[in-house]
Amino acid sequence: MNTLIAISGLGIFCLIAEIFNLRKLLVPIAILGLLAILGLNLSEYNAPTAYFNQMENLNNMIIVDKFAVAFSSLFIVLTIFLVALSGDFYKDHPTKISDFIAIKIFILAGAVAMVSFGNLSMFFLGIEVLSISLYILAASRRLDVKSNEAGMKYFLLGSFASGIILFGICLVYGATGYFDLASIYNLSQGTGAPVWFPFGVTLIVIGMLFKIAAAPFHFWAPDVYEGSPSMTTATMSTLAKVVAMATLYKLISGLGLPEDYVPMFQNIIIIISILSMTVGNIMALRQKNVKRMLAFSGISHAGFMLMALLSLSSAAPTLLYYTAAYALAGIASFAVIIYVTKDKDNEDIFNFNGLGKTNPLLAAVLTASLLSMAGIPIFSGFFAKFMLFAQTIKTGYIIVVIAGVINSIISIGYYFKLILAMYTKDSDSEESKSVPLVYTIVAVFAILLNIIIGIYPSIVTHLLS
C-alpha cells in the first residue's frame, strides 16, 4: 500500500513539476524517486499485510505479500528503464514531457495494483488505470495517421475486453456474493457455487488473454505495435505484457475453479498455449517491420508463459523468472531499435543493415537480446524456457513441451534475419551517427541484468520459493 501511494504521489509531482518549469530535472528526479520507491517496496518483502476497508465487500483491497513485492519490484525496474529512455525520445516535445513521464508512472501504479489486489474491485481499478494510460500513449502522435489508427484500435478492442472482464466479475459476484478473493476461493472449492461462477471466471480469463495478446485474441497487437510510437510499443511489449500475465496467474490461482471444471480448463490452456506459440512464430517469419516482428514474437512468448497455468501451485517462481528474462531482453532490444529508427520513416529490417560495423556495441546488445528471446544459452531466456519445460513435464503435459521446443527452433529463423542484416549487409551510410548516452546505458544495463540472472537464476527464483 505504501508503494502504491508513493508511486501515485510521484506521478502527481511529475504533473505539478511543469508548473515550476522543472522539465530538465524531471527525468533524473523521476528515476531517483523510482529507486527510492523500489527500496520502499523491498522493505515490505518480509512484512505481509492486508489493508482493509470496513465497508462490506470491500475488505482486503490491497494485499502485500511476496508475490506482490517481487513482481512490483520487476515493474519498477522496467519503469526506470522506460523513463530513462523517455528523456531523449520526447526531447522534441519539451512542453509535454511531464505528461509522458507522469503517464508512465501512472501505468506503474496500475501495474502494482493489479498484482497486489485482494479484491476484484481493486483489480478492475488497476487494469483500467493501466489501460487508459496506454490508450493515450498509443495515439499520442496527433498528426500521425498510423498512431491515430493504433490508438483507436487499441481503445475499441481494449474497452471491449474490459467490458468482458467486468461482466465476468459481475457473474462471479452474483454467484458468490463477494468481491473478496479469499472468500470467493473458499466458496468455489465447495459444492454450493452456482453454474454461472465458472462462466464468470471464463469471461475474466478471456478478457485477460486479450491483454496478453494470446491467440486467438491477438489480432490487435501487430497493428497497434507498429502504429504506436516506439516508446509506447516498448512499454506494451515489456511492462504491460508481464503485468497482464502475472495478474492472470494471480486471478486463476486466487479465484479457484470447482474440481469438475479443472480438466476442461487445462485442456483449453493447452490449446491456447500451442496456438499462440505457433501462430506467433509462423507469422513473425513473414514480417519485414521489426515492431510487427516483435509483436508476433510477444504473442509466441505469451503462449510459453501460459504453460505456467498448468501447474498453478508451484509455477510462481518460474513465471517471475520468465517474465523478468523476457522483459529485460525486450527493454535492451527496444533501446537499440528506438535509436536506430528514431529519424526514419519506418522500422523495417533494412534500417539495421551494417549496424555491426557502424555501432558494434549496440549491435552486440541487440544480438544478445534476440538470442535470449530465442532461448540460447548463456542468456536467461534459455534457463527460463528450460525451467518452464521441466515444470510442465512434471505435470504430465509433454505435448505442450514438444510444441514449445519446435517453436523455439522456428523462432531462431526470424531473430537471425535481423542479426544477419546487422552483420552481413552494408549500410546505406557508412558514417556512424552519435549515440545519446542514455540508449547505451539502458541497453547495456538491461542485457547485463539478463545475463546475470541467467548465470545466477536463484537471485530471482528464491524470491517466491
Side-chain angles (χ1 to χ4, degrees):
M1 188 69 179
N2 296 329
T3 302
L4 190 57
I5 293 171
I7 293 169
S8 302
L10 181 61
I12 294 169
F13 169 80
C14 289
L15 290 175
I16 296 174
E18 180 70 24
I19 300 173
F20 300 101
N21 199 23
L22 297 175
R23 298 185 192 111
K24 292 183 179 179
L25 297 175
L26 191 58
V27 171
I29 290 174
I31 292 173
L32 289 174
L34 288 169
L35 287 171
I37 291 169
L38 177 62
L40 175 64
N41 184 62
L42 291 173
S43 70
E44 298 181 320
Y45 178 72
N46 286 317
T49 311
Y51 292 87
F52 297 88
N53 185 323
Q54 297 305 317
M55 294 174 63
E56 187 179 359
N57 280 319
L58 292 179
N59 56 330
N60 290 332
M61 294 296 286
I62 293 288
I63 294 180
V64 178
D65 55 12
K66 289 185 177 181
F67 182 91
V69 170
F71 274 100
S72 295
S73 299
L74 172 61
F75 303 157
I76 294 169
V77 170
L78 296 177
T79 306
I80 290 171
F81 286 134
L82 292 169
V83 169
L85 291 173
S86 298
D88 183 81
F89 187 82
Y90 296 117
K91 66 181 180 181
D92 296 331
H93 305 280
T95 60
K96 298 179 181 178
I97 190 168
S98 61
D99 300 336
F100 289 120
I101 300 298
I103 288 173
K104 283 183 173 53
I105 293 172
F106 289 134
I107 287 174
L108 176 61
V112 170
M114 286 173 67
V115 293
S116 305
F117 72 92
N119 190 292
L120 290 178
S121 56
M122 177 57 74
F123 153 67
F124 190 73
L125 181 63
I127 201 170
E128 286 306 289
V129 169
L130 182 140
S131 297
I132 292 171
S133 301
L134 286 174
Y135 302 154
I136 296 168
L137 290 178
S140 57
R141 286 185 176 166
R142 295 183 298 106
L143 303 180
D144 186 343
V145 175
K146 284 188 174 181
S147 179
N148 293 337
E149 178 188 353
M152 183 58 70
K153 284 182 177 178
Y154 195 34
F155 171 70
L156 292 176
L157 294 174
S159 301
F160 187 64
S162 295
I164 292 174
I165 292 173
L166 187 59
F167 188 38
I169 292 173
C170 291
L171 288 177
V172 169
Y173 176 73
T176 62
Y178 292 100
F179 288 121
D180 177 43
L181 217 59
S183 302
I184 293 171
Y185 183 84
N186 291 334
L187 284 174
S188 70
Q189 300 308 297
T191 57
V195 70
W196 56 82
F197 173 76
F199 285 128
V201 175
T202 302
L203 289 176
I204 294 173
V205 171
I206 289 173
M208 291 306 299
L209 289 174
F210 169 89
K211 299 295 183 182
I212 65 170
F217 310 101
H218 67 284
F219 296 103
W220 62 274
D223 290 341
V224 172
Y225 276 40
E226 181 184 7
S228 300
S230 296
M231 182 59 64
T232 304
T233 306
T235 306
M236 292 178 185
S237 178
T238 55
L239 180 60
K241 184 176 286 286
V242 300
V243 169
M245 191 63 232
T247 305
L248 177 59
Y249 176 87
K250 180 167 183 175
L251 278 167
I252 294 175
S253 58
L255 288 172
L257 274 174
E259 291 186 7
D260 296 343
Y261 292 91
V262 170
M264 181 176 65
F265 170 77
Q266 289 175 332
N267 290 333
I268 292 171
I269 292 298
I270 290 170
I271 293 169
I272 294 175
S273 175
I274 295 174
L275 187 63
S276 297
M277 289 187 286
T278 307
V279 170
N281 282 319
I282 290 176
M283 292 303 296
L285 289 170
R286 301 167 52 89
Q287 304 306 315
K288 296 180 180 178
N289 184 286
V290 174
K291 281 164 50 173
R292 286 186 73 88
M293 185 185 80
L294 290 180
F296 284 110
S297 169
I299 293 165
S300 73
H301 280 285
F304 283 102
M305 287 186 255
L306 285 172
M307 290 186 194
L309 302 183
L310 298 173
S311 49
L312 285 174
S313 60
S314 58
T318 305
L319 182 62
L320 175 64
Y321 186 77
Y322 195 106
T323 53
Y326 167 75
L328 289 171
I331 289 287
S333 62
F334 269 101
V336 180
I337 291 167
I338 291 170
Y339 157 72
V340 172
T341 62
K342 66 177 180 177
D343 297 323
K344 305 291 176 61
D345 294 331
N346 56 57
E347 299 84 18
D348 289 347
I349 291 176
F350 70 79
N351 290 311
F352 295 81
N353 290 354
L355 186 63
K357 295 178 182 177
T358 57
N359 200 310
L361 178 59
L362 290 186
V365 170
L366 182 55
T367 301
S369 63
L370 294 173
L371 292 178
S372 178
M373 291 185 196
I376 305 295
I378 59 172
F379 305 101
S380 56
F382 167 79
F383 298 101
K385 288 184 178 179
F386 178 81
M387 292 194 307
L388 200 59
F389 291 165
Q391 193 165 320
T392 307
I393 289 173
K394 283 183 181 178
T395 56
Y397 299 104
I398 192 167
I399 184 68
V400 191
V401 175
I402 293 171
V405 171
I406 293 171
N407 276 284
S408 294
I409 296 169
I410 294 172
S411 69
I412 294 173
Y414 58 85
Y415 289 131
F416 267 84
K417 186 162 54 172
L418 183 53
I419 294 171
L420 291 173
M422 290 190 290
Y423 290 103
T424 65
K425 296 183 180 180
D426 294 326
S427 173
D428 295 336
S429 173
E430 293 297 327
E431 295 183 5
S432 176
K433 60 181 181 180
S434 61
V435 184
L437 185 61
V438 65
Y439 291 102
T440 303
I441 291 174
V442 170
V444 171
F445 263 78
I447 203 62
L448 281 177
L449 283 175
N450 181 285
I451 294 171
I452 289 169
I453 66 172
I455 297 172
Y456 303 104
S458 59
I459 295 174
V460 176
T461 56
H462 281 183
L463 290 174
L464 294 179
S465 59

